[in-house]
Amino acid sequence: MSKKTLLEAQRILRDRVCRQVSPPDIIGFQDEHSRLHDLIKRTVTLGEGNSVLVIGQRASGKTMLLRSVVNKLTQAKDVKTNLIQVYLNGIVQTDDRIALKEITRQLQLENTVGDRVFGSFAENLQFLLDALKSGGHTSKPVLFILDEFDLFAHHKNQTLLYNLFDIAQSAQTPICVVGLTCRLDVIELLEKRVKSRFSHRHIHLFNSLPFSEYCDIFKMYLTLPTTFGDKKFAKTWNTNIGDLCQQSAVKDMLKRQYDLNKDFRALQALMVLPVCRLSETHPAITASDFIDSAHHLTMDSKASILHGKRVLLRKLGEICCILYRLSTPSNHGL
């Protein structure tokens, strides 16, 4: 085993557990994956206008699901070169003016807009989408991803949402609007005119994975892909990971984590320390790595700050006693 091979394996695993890339497979959300995939695919291949809300608690896998769908779609060459993605976040784009500037930037149409003056927000947005038309006067499909969707509902008059849903409903341009939110009551935040333009499609993600699938996800994150360069190393590594998942210490640790918190981010956080510990002197992940990681994650933050500082605290206590005695007035002279 060479150092280069180990570093490449560490890079792949680190990208997964740090949420830089999508996992190799989606476990537990196959139906939701299929529905979202078909919806976006119809926009790309048939030119339909669609809108959908993906609703689930934080860290339930909404972004992971959407990334997986987009990655699968863009594997096709015609889709990869044709589909345009626009990502907006309600925390960053706090009003419609900022959102429109970001749409212009991501569509790379700053020079096209120039100093042009528009009469309304709708006219500006439609101009941007019309500018994407190809030689045959057919517009390229655009996927609008609205993260923290509920925050866009607080924008004045909900102009951005109204125009996006209106374009999707009227089929003026093939766009698909996907909103990601953790609020179950998000529809109640929309104005009546915005509701009338929305398709009312919802995909709910409920994190109700059984423990067996939770263990499968854990194993999947640590397994090297079949496309890994060193086939012999990948086979040995994946065998060791399979044996590791069968160890009682690892199963007990996963069971405690599962009972405490089932979300994916907590599971990924548990794997960060073992992956980062990989080196030439420590070329394999062991059960003790995960036990240490679980200990660090569950340690009280205030207790960890004071850990190893008993001598310092004792000295500080002595100084405080001396200062108290010096500051207390004495009555021995009376």
Side-chain angles (χ1 to χ4, degrees), residues 24-259:
D25 194 12
I26 294 293
I27 297 178
F29 297 124
Q30 286 81 3
D31 292 341
E32 292 82 356
H33 184 280
S34 177
R35 288 173 58 193
L36 187 58
H37 179 273
D38 292 343
L39 198 66
I40 300 176
K41 186 177 180 180
R42 290 204 303 270
T43 298
V44 177
T45 58
L46 303 178
E48 291 183 3
N50 291 308
S51 55
V52 63
L53 284 178
V54 182
I55 304 172
Q57 64 182 3
R58 297 198 182 278
S60 60
K62 300 184 294 295
T63 303
M64 178 185 68
L65 176 69
L66 181 58
R67 281 184 179 177
S68 177
V69 168
V70 173
N71 288 342
K72 185 176 180 181
L73 282 170
T74 52
Q75 287 177 0
K77 187 177 180 181
D78 56 335
V79 174
K80 185 176 182 179
T81 57
N82 201 31
L83 179 64
I84 300 173
Q85 299 179 50
V86 175
Y87 177 84
L88 302 175
N89 191 304
I91 297 176
V92 181
Q93 282 78 46
T94 53
D95 60 47
D96 291 341
R97 180 182 57 83
I98 298 174
L100 193 59
K101 284 186 176 181
E102 182 61 18
I103 293 172
T104 305
R105 187 191 68 81
Q106 293 190 33
L107 294 178
Q108 300 178 1
L109 294 174
E110 297 97 326
N111 295 331
T112 305
V113 174
D115 297 327
R116 189 184 297 267
V117 178
F118 297 96
S120 65
F121 184 94
E123 182 184 346
N124 192 346
L125 182 61
Q126 189 60 51
F127 174 81
L128 294 176
L129 297 176
D130 288 343
L132 298 174
K133 288 185 177 180
S134 58
H137 302 291
T138 57
S139 297
K140 289 187 175 182
V142 184
L143 173 62
F144 284 91
I145 301 170
L146 306 183
D147 205 351
E148 303 292 346
F149 178 86
D150 50 287
L151 297 182
F152 287 99
H154 295 295
H155 291 189
K156 184 179 179 181
N157 299 328
Q158 300 180 358
T159 309
L160 175 67
L161 297 181
Y162 174 79
N163 284 281
L164 286 177
F165 289 154
D166 184 57
I167 293 171
Q169 185 188 57
S170 60
Q172 301 173 26
T173 305
I175 72 169
C176 182
V177 183
V178 180
L180 308 178
T181 181
C182 60
R183 292 194 57 167
L184 294 174
D185 63 340
V186 64
I187 294 298
E188 303 305 318
L189 301 177
L190 300 179
E191 294 180 0
K192 186 176 180 180
R193 64 181 189 131
V194 179
K195 286 182 184 179
S196 66
R197 299 301 192 276
F198 178 49
S199 65
H200 291 275
R201 294 190 184 95
H202 305 90
I203 297 177
H204 291 272
L205 299 186
F206 298 106
N207 199 341
S208 57
L209 294 173
F211 181 65
S212 58
E213 290 187 355
Y214 188 80
C215 293
D216 290 339
I217 293 174
F218 174 79
K219 182 179 179 180
M220 176 192 66
Y221 270 107
L222 296 175
T223 301
L224 291 176
T226 55
T227 56
F228 190 76
D230 191 333
K231 304 296 183 184
K232 184 178 179 181
F233 175 84
K235 183 178 180 181
T236 303
W237 175 275
N238 292 341
T239 302
N240 291 337
I241 292 298
D243 296 338
L244 178 69
C245 294
Q246 298 301 319
Q247 293 184 23
S248 57
V250 175
K251 283 191 172 183
D252 292 342
M253 180 271 301
L254 285 176
K255 181 61 176 174
R256 286 195 299 271
Q257 181 67 33
Y258 176 81
D259 292 336

